[in-house]
């Protein structure tokens, strides 16, 4: 125990206000706390109250610090996370988040941590911490391929020749190896405000560059077993240490089944347990976006045509301010009764994926869902909606980790037959065996607890060796 105390670090963690960001941050915090380090996890009150509870043995090492979110015009009241908002309103959340600059400065002054680990959105935090003598790390929930595509600092902070959506549909000039990782035109068009800027006055591209420039080290949810060439190139582009933290795998199947005892889960489990092994398509598109009405209709009709059993976690609205709710085709639920199950409230994704009846997942391709699915050998059918998902699809397609539903490159259109044929290919047909086999192969890599420990130890050893000298004996 004396050794743990001697090497103890105090680390402030400050994620972006999206659960797809906060959850990986809290997983990293838990790994670090288990090694004896103290964590101050900073977020807004509602978000902290909505985070998963941590185990009792970590409560003395992880302190949740609530920092009120300032009100700004056009941001709905009580909206503190991207999941509370439609995509067009997220820019106002960024505007409010940037107003936390002064409160965060005062908080860092009072806490005086050894390190602050921050997300790409608070691009302003690195210089603040440096002026206070605090070491910095930017933690990216995005994989190395995405960070490389965003570019070296000179490019993302204004020097990039890419000015039109078309420019982002090909690999950038600084990637020396052959790859198809780039945005489909329809995918970059949907999020082009990330390049052009938004109501916050700062583009996401600039945020990435400034956050990386202000960090002593770059950390990210990744591993050399999955993307060695991209991690090596990322370090070359930024000329600073890059530490993957591993893939942050979910609990084992046994842990999931023993943990979830709610009535909702029991009802879901009862239905899943009646299905044949590896026969069910799990359908989920995350908490940050939803398909359009046209996309939803075609997905539903495709599921119907496939003839496969499915469990669909359907989100019809994004927050209380979302007036553009989507609905299933008339008579759909009656026609698929017994074979399909539509669930419209929160569902325990990891427990569902852990159930033996599930053979694959139709997913938005967010990396968190990808890792969870592959850790349970679930084959991937890919359908990008927003953010980095278009890049993730190309990355996984290139490595045969998943099969994308065929879509028109220009407008993203597809047919219900495309959906049905993709589902059957990946889950049933001989041609899709490569994706089922790849899921088994990836389980051994992504779900390896020894690898996960090694990545976390590498990062922590570097942090301990490079903490501020004036704090080493506190």
């Amino acid at each position: 125990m004396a050794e743990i105390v001697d090497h103890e670090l105090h680390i402030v963690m400050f994620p972006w206000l999206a659960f797809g960001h906060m959850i990986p941050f809290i997983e990293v915090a838990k790994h670090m706390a288990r090694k004896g380090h103290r964590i101050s996890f900073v977020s807004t009150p509602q978000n902290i109250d909505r985070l998963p509870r941590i185990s009792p043995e970590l409560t003395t090492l992880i302190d949740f610090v609530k920092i009120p979110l300032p009100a700004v015009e056009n941001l709905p009241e009580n909206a503190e996370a991207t999941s509370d908002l439609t995509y067009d309103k997220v820019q106002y959340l960024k505007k409010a988040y940037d107003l936390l600059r002064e409160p965060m400065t005062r908080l860092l002054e009072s806490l005086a941590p050894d390190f602050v680990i921050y997300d790409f959105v608070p691009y302003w935090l690195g210089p603040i911490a440096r002026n206070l003598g605090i070491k910095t790390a930017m933690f990216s929930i995005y994989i190395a391929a995405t960070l490389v595509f965003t570019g070296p600092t000179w490019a993302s902070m204004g020097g990039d020749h890419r000015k039109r959506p078309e420019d982002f549909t090909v690999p950038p000039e600084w990637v020396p190896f052959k790859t198809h990782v780039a945005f489909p035109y329809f995918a970059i068009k949907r999020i082009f405000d990330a390049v052009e800027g938004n109501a916050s006055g700062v583009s996401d591209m600039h945020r990435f560059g400034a956050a990386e420039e202000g960090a002593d080290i770059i950390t990210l949810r990744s591993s050399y077993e999955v993307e060695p060439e991209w991690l090596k190139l990322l370090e070359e582009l930024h000329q600073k240490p890059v530490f993957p933290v591993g893939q942050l795998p979910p609990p084992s199947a046994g842990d999931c089944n023993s943990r979830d005892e709610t009535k909702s889960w029991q009802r879901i489990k009862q239905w899943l347990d009646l299905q044949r092994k590896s026969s069910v398509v799990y359908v989920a598109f995350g908490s940050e976006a939803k398909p359009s009405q046209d996309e939803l209709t075609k997905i539903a009709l495709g599921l119907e045509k496939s003839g496969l059993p499915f469990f669909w976690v359907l989100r019809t609205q994004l927050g209380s301010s979302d007036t553009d709710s989507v609905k299933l085709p008339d008579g759909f639920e009656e026609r698929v009764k017994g074979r399909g199950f539509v669930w419209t409230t929160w569902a325990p994704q990891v427990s569902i994926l852990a159930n033996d009846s599930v053979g694959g997942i139709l997913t938005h391709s967010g990396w968190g869902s990808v890792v969870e699915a592959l850790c349970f050998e679930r084959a991937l059918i890919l359908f990008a909606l927003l953010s980095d998902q278009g890049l993730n699809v190309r990355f996984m397609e290139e490595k045969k980790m998943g099969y994308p539903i065929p879509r028109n490159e220009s407008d993203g259109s597809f047919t219900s037959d495309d959906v049905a044929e993709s589902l059957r290919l990946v889950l049933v047909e001989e041609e899709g065996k490569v994706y089922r086999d790849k899921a088994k192969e990836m389980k051994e890599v992504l779900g390896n607890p020894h690898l996960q420990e090694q990545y976390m130890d590498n990062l922590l050893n570097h942090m301990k060796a490079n903490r501020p000298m004036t704090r080493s004996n506190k």
Side-chain angles (χ1 to χ4, degrees):
M1 194 65 186
E3 184 180 0
I4 291 178
V5 173
D6 182 54
H7 291 96
E8 180 194 271
L9 294 167
H10 179 199
I11 302 161
V12 166
M13 304 192 78
F14 189 50
W16 166 230
L17 306 179
F19 283 94
H21 291 241
M22 290 182 278
I23 298 301
F25 265 78
I26 198 67
E27 287 302 312
V28 171
K30 285 156 59 177
H31 276 282
M32 291 179 165
R34 290 188 192 105
K35 303 286 185 179
H37 305 292
R38 294 186 296 126
I39 309 296
S40 295
F41 193 96
V42 183
S43 192
T44 61
Q46 281 191 52
N47 287 328
I48 285 177
D49 291 343
R50 289 185 287 184
L51 285 171
R53 295 189 181 277
I54 59 173
S55 54
E57 69 270 16
L58 298 181
T59 54
T60 58
L61 288 167
I62 301 179
D63 181 31
F64 289 97
V65 182
K66 295 181 177 180
I67 186 166
L69 185 69
V72 299
E73 189 178 2
N74 296 318
L75 181 65
E77 190 177 357
N78 297 321
E80 294 187 6
T82 55
S83 57
D84 300 325
L85 300 162
T86 52
Y87 181 73
D88 63 305
K89 297 286 187 184
V90 171
Q91 57 185 323
Y92 304 111
L93 188 64
K94 288 174 182 169
K95 190 174 183 179
Y97 190 75
D98 286 343
L99 295 176
L100 294 176
R101 185 187 311 232
E102 288 304 317
M104 278 301 297
T105 302
R106 295 194 298 270
L107 183 63
L108 290 177
E109 286 174 338
S110 65
L111 291 176
D114 298 294
F115 268 84
V116 58
I117 300 178
Y118 59 86
D119 215 320
F120 84 95
V121 181
Y123 66 99
W124 33 263
L125 196 55
I128 291 171
R130 184 175 293 124
N131 288 340
L132 296 172
I134 300 166
K135 292 287 188 175
T136 55
M138 188 197 88
F139 173 53
S140 169
I141 67 147
Y142 304 108
I143 61 174
T146 297
L147 293 186
V148 167
F149 190 89
T150 301
T153 301
W154 63 262
S156 53
M157 293 182 70
D160 199 339
H161 69 278
R162 300 177 296 179
K163 305 299 181 186
R164 307 169 304 152
E166 294 86 346
D167 298 330
F168 291 82
T169 62
V170 293
E173 62 185 19
W174 47 81
V175 177
F177 47 82
K178 186 177 180 181
T179 180
H180 297 293
V181 175
F183 280 103
Y185 181 78
F186 74 86
I188 188 62
K189 276 287 288 182
R190 289 185 179 186
I191 61 164
F192 204 60
D193 64 307
V195 178
E196 293 180 313
N198 51 56
S200 72
V202 185
S203 72
D204 282 356
M205 294 287 281
H206 183 88
R207 289 179 190 272
F208 272 111
E212 289 162 333
E213 184 178 60
D216 293 307
I217 58 175
I218 296 171
T219 69
L220 66 164
R221 185 179 193 171
S222 181
S223 58
Y224 284 100
E225 292 73 24
V226 175
E227 49 171 352
E229 70 279 32
W230 294 100
L231 282 164
K232 182 173 180 291
L233 181 54
L234 182 65
E235 195 160 51
E236 290 173 1
L237 290 177
H238 289 285
Q239 292 295 297
K240 61 179 58 179
V242 170
F243 286 91
V245 300
Q247 300 291 350
L248 307 176
S252 66
D255 292 339
C256 294
N257 292 334
S258 63
R259 184 186 58 191
D260 283 307
E261 297 297 340
T262 62
K263 288 182 180 178
S264 294
W265 167 238
Q266 291 306 316
R267 186 179 167 205
I268 295 169
K269 184 176 184 298
Q270 185 177 28
W271 186 86
L272 290 172
D273 287 346
L274 293 174
Q275 313 308 313
R276 289 185 297 106
K277 184 176 180 180
S278 302
S279 67
V280 174
V281 181
Y282 173 51
V283 185
F285 299 114
S287 61
E288 310 297 320
K290 71 175 193 286
S292 67
Q293 182 61 64
D294 180 63
E295 291 170 338
L296 181 85
T297 298
K298 289 173 180 173
I299 289 168
L301 295 177
L303 284 163
E304 185 177 346
K305 288 180 179 180
S306 75
L308 297 170
F310 64 88
F311 186 91
W312 189 352
V313 178
L314 175 62
R315 194 157 195 227
T316 58
Q317 286 182 286
L318 296 172
S320 58
S321 64
D322 185 4
T323 57
D324 187 23
S325 62
V326 291
K327 62 179 183 177
L328 294 166
D330 291 341
F332 171 77
E333 289 188 85
E334 186 60 34
R335 294 194 301 273
V336 299
K337 193 173 183 179
R339 176 168 66 85
F341 198 138
V342 179
W343 189 265
T344 56
T345 58
W346 181 86
Q349 176 160 294
V350 173
S351 294
I352 293 168
L353 287 167
N355 191 280
D356 286 342
S357 68
V358 176
I361 176 174
L362 173 53
T363 172
H364 60 307
S365 313
W367 198 251
S369 290
V370 166
V371 170
E372 289 173 353
L374 291 176
C375 281
F376 294 109
E377 293 184 25
R378 308 310 177 214
L380 300 170
I381 306 98
L382 310 172
F383 187 85
L385 289 169
L386 282 176
S387 188
D388 60 323
Q389 296 160 18
L391 292 177
N392 286 347
V393 167
R394 287 283 177 82
F395 174 83
M396 289 186 282
E397 182 182 17
E398 192 165 276
K399 291 184 178 285
K400 299 295 184 185
M401 290 170 62
Y403 180 80
I405 291 175
R407 298 169 75 175
N408 182 290
E409 287 284 311
S410 296
D411 62 12
S413 61
F414 61 100
T415 68
S416 57
D417 287 337
D418 291 328
V419 176
E421 291 165 8
S422 298
L423 294 173
R424 292 197 60 80
L425 183 147
V426 174
L427 265 75
V428 179
E429 295 172 7
E430 183 62 27
E431 185 184 348
K433 188 173 183 292
V434 60
Y435 302 104
R436 301 190 291 275
D437 288 345
K438 192 67 173 181
K440 294 177 183 177
E441 176 189 330
M442 295 306 296
K443 177 187 177 181
E444 301 306 314
V445 174
L446 302 185
N448 186 323
H450 301 296
L451 269 178
Q452 179 59 61
E453 286 295 307
Q454 184 178 338
Y455 279 116
M456 197 59 64
D457 285 345
N458 288 344
L459 171 60
L460 286 169
N461 287 339
H462 178 88
M463 292 172 70
K464 287 186 289 187
N466 290 276
R467 62 182 165 187
M469 293 298 294
T470 56
R471 303 172 193 275
S472 60
N473 295 316
K474 71 175 182 178

